[in-house]
Amino acid sequence: MAKTDVLTLAILGILQDQPLHGYQIRKLLGAELGPFRALSYGSLYPCLRRMVDTGLIETAGEEPGAATPASSRRARIAYSLTEAGRTRLTEELASAGASSWDDDTFDVRFALFAHTDSATRLRILEGRRSRLSERLEEVSEGLKRMHERHDAYTAELQRHGLERVEREVEWLDQLIENERSAPGGDNPGPASAGH
Amino acid sequence: MAKTDVLTLAILGILQDQPLHGYQIRKLLGAELGPFRALSYGSLYPCLRRMVDTGLIETAGEEPGAATPASSRRARIAYSLTEAGRTRLTEELASAGASSWDDDTFDVRFALFAHTDSATRLRILEGRRSRLSERLEEVSEGLKRMHERHDAYTAELQRHGLERVEREVEWLDQLIENERSAPGGDNPGPASAGH
DNA sequence: CATTAGTTGTATCGCTCCGATACATCGAGA
DNA sequence: TCTCGATGTATCGGAGCGATACAACTAATG
């Protein structure tokens, strides 16, 4: 099975509901994933081309001299999933590969949870959790050793990073608990975890 | 004034105390900035070469056939700041350019706070804070609009992202407050902000 | 004593990504 | 009308990353 990078996966995901233009893809993806992880045209268009080349998506360009005779409409290219693309997405959604809990992949996988079955959701959440646990230990140990080599600001940076990871683990615990108690539920959990 | 990218700044910072090998730079930088922001050799060595070319650092290679005659010691290259490099670092530390509060730059700038004067520290912290405030508003508004287009998981992702930013703002507020009350202090603040 | 495994160490290749930029059309409001 | 902002496609140069190769020192394990 050919491997699918994050961007490709995200595009497959957003195209499954409706065909979109490049511009719309960028905008929608930006809205879904937040202002973090901006997606630039410099990566979007090459990726779209790659996907067309490998047959995952196809273009449905609006031909210039069509309905209205005199209007030379601007080139607008709508991308839609091919059968192969839909298959690939399904495969990818069902298989929670180890990379699913990587920092940059997890967000996209999570955004696609509505299209993922409960067992896979759970596996991904737990994988991510254990990944963060490792990091937690790693950082705390580094922090302990840091007391020897002074510099309060560097230590504070580590401390804050540690806290951030701890928060994310708590968040995951909430989600996991809810997933276990309501495997079929559409809702990710109690409306608010903290605050 | 030539612009200095993040990686260059980080290397300047870590070399100011003692000369180091490429390997040690990577390791130390990794320890200071945490397991996030890994630094790969694929970017480190090219950057070191760039810095040598522009005269910011210089190499002090240990010559092979030196002290012990028969031992052909392995090539080990120690990098140290030149006068130009030290000047550049000082300039950069004094001027809190607008890019100082970018996501990927702020960490490095913060790690160098021990070598930064209080006024600049404050300006950077406040710049970062206002940057995050903008983002806060941006995300909250996106979240409000998100209720119209269902998908609980996508919304939850945004909600969690929002919370993370809120946390960071609180953290910054702590640091700013402390910086104001003790401008000369070595300590970033009360040992623990939350928990 | 020999083999193995892990750490220190330098370096490159291919690919992807990003920021900036260019160009063009359309709708709304000054 | 004229301008501004949104929509839309596209590329270029540079920088980053992951993987990988090579090499020597060092500790433990058999």
Side-chain angles (χ1 to χ4, degrees):
Chain A
M1 181 170 59
K3 65 174 176 180
T4 312
D5 61 302
V6 212
L7 186 45
T8 300
L9 178 60
I11 295 177
L12 285 177
I14 211 149
L15 283 183
Q16 79 183 307
D17 300 320
Q18 77 286 144
L20 290 171
H21 296 170
Y23 188 81
Q24 296 171 315
I25 292 177
R26 180 176 131 99
K27 220 176 154 225
L28 265 182
L29 233 44
E32 269 196 11
L33 300 177
F36 354 82
R37 308 241 165 277
L39 169 61
S40 74
Y41 292 122
S43 35
L44 175 60
Y45 282 107
C47 182
L48 285 173
R49 201 201 321 283
R50 272 190 318 265
M51 292 173 73
V52 170
D53 288 347
T54 54
L56 293 176
I57 58 177
E58 62 190 355
T59 63
E62 291 161 28
E63 50 272 42
T68 34
S71 84
S72 65
R73 297 271 294 140
R74 150 162 98 270
R76 309 167 85 244
I77 303 163
Y79 296 90
S80 55
L81 289 194
T82 61
E83 216 32 64
R86 205 167 288 275
T87 305
R88 173 71 134 275
L89 178 60
T90 309
E91 278 173 16
E92 210 67 43
L93 285 182
S95 83
S99 65
S100 301
W101 33 89
D102 284 357
D103 284 333
D104 47 348
T105 310
F106 177 74
D107 293 37
V108 174
R109 295 284 334 213
F110 188 84
L112 290 170
F113 262 23
H115 306 278
T116 310
D117 65 291
S118 180
T120 308
R121 287 201 292 248
L122 202 51
R123 207 158 78 245
I124 292 178
L125 289 173
E126 280 166 347
R128 177 68 180 164
R129 211 215 104 106
S130 95
R131 163 72 54 94
L132 290 186
S133 284
E134 292 169 24
R135 188 169 311 185
L136 222 50
E137 213 150 328
E138 201 179 332
V139 181
S140 354
E141 222 156 296
L143 200 49
K144 261 187 289 179
R145 256 191 300 275
M146 188 142 286
H147 276 278
E148 302 155 22
R149 23 172 79 252
H150 46 285
D151 198 342
Y153 284 105
T154 306
E156 175 64 17
L157 189 60
Q158 291 289 326
R159 212 199 49 70
H160 177 241
L162 189 66
E163 204 173 289
R164 202 172 52 194
V165 180
E166 281 169 353
R167 290 279 158 201
E168 194 166 343
V169 169
E170 287 172 23
W171 180 63
L172 287 169
D173 281 339
Q174 283 272 345
L175 292 169
I176 289 172
E177 188 188 341
N178 186 266
E179 192 66 54
R180 285 222 179 88
S181 66
D186 285 340
N187 236 294
S192 185
H195 235 251
Chain B
M1 180 172 58
K3 65 174 177 180
T4 312
D5 61 300
V6 212
L7 185 46
T8 299
L9 178 60
I11 294 177
L12 286 176
I14 210 147
L15 282 184
Q16 81 183 307
D17 300 320
Q18 78 286 143
L20 291 171
H21 296 169
Y23 188 82
Q24 295 171 316
I25 293 177
R26 180 177 131 100
K27 221 174 155 229
L28 265 182
L29 234 44
E32 269 196 11
L33 299 178
F36 353 83
R37 308 241 164 278
L39 169 61
S40 74
Y41 292 122
S43 36
L44 175 61
Y45 282 107
C47 182
L48 284 174
R49 199 200 323 283
R50 276 193 312 268
M51 291 174 74
V52 170
D53 288 346
T54 54
L56 294 177
I57 58 178
E58 63 189 355
T59 63
E62 292 160 29
E63 48 271 43
T68 35
S71 84
S72 65
R73 297 271 296 136
R74 147 160 101 271
R76 308 167 87 241
I77 303 161
Y79 297 90
S80 55
L81 288 194
T82 61
E83 218 29 66
R86 205 166 288 276
T87 306
R88 173 71 134 274
L89 178 59
T90 309
E91 278 174 15
E92 210 67 44
L93 285 182
S95 82
S99 64
S100 301
W101 33 87
D102 284 357
D103 284 333
D104 46 349
T105 310
F106 176 75
D107 293 35
V108 174
R109 294 283 337 211
F110 188 84
L112 289 170
F113 262 23
H115 307 277
T116 311
D117 65 292
S118 181
T120 308
R121 285 201 293 247
L122 202 51
R123 206 157 79 246
I124 293 177
L125 289 173
E126 281 166 346
R128 177 69 181 164
R129 210 215 104 105
S130 96
R131 163 72 55 93
L132 289 187
S133 285
E134 292 168 23
R135 189 169 309 184
L136 221 51
E137 212 150 329
E138 201 180 331
V139 181
S140 335
E141 226 158 290
L143 200 50
K144 261 188 288 178
R145 256 192 300 276
M146 188 143 286
H147 276 278
E148 301 157 20
R149 25 173 77 254
H150 47 286
D151 200 340
Y153 284 105
T154 306
E156 176 64 18
L157 188 62
Q158 292 288 325
R159 210 198 51 69
H160 177 242
L162 189 65
E163 205 173 287
R164 203 172 53 195
V165 179
E166 281 169 353
R167 290 280 159 199
E168 195 166 342
V169 169
E170 287 171 25
W171 180 64
L172 287 169
D173 282 339
Q174 284 271 344
L175 291 170
I176 289 172
E177 188 188 341
N178 186 266
E179 192 65 53
R180 285 223 179 87
S181 67
D186 284 340
N187 237 295
S192 184
H195 235 256

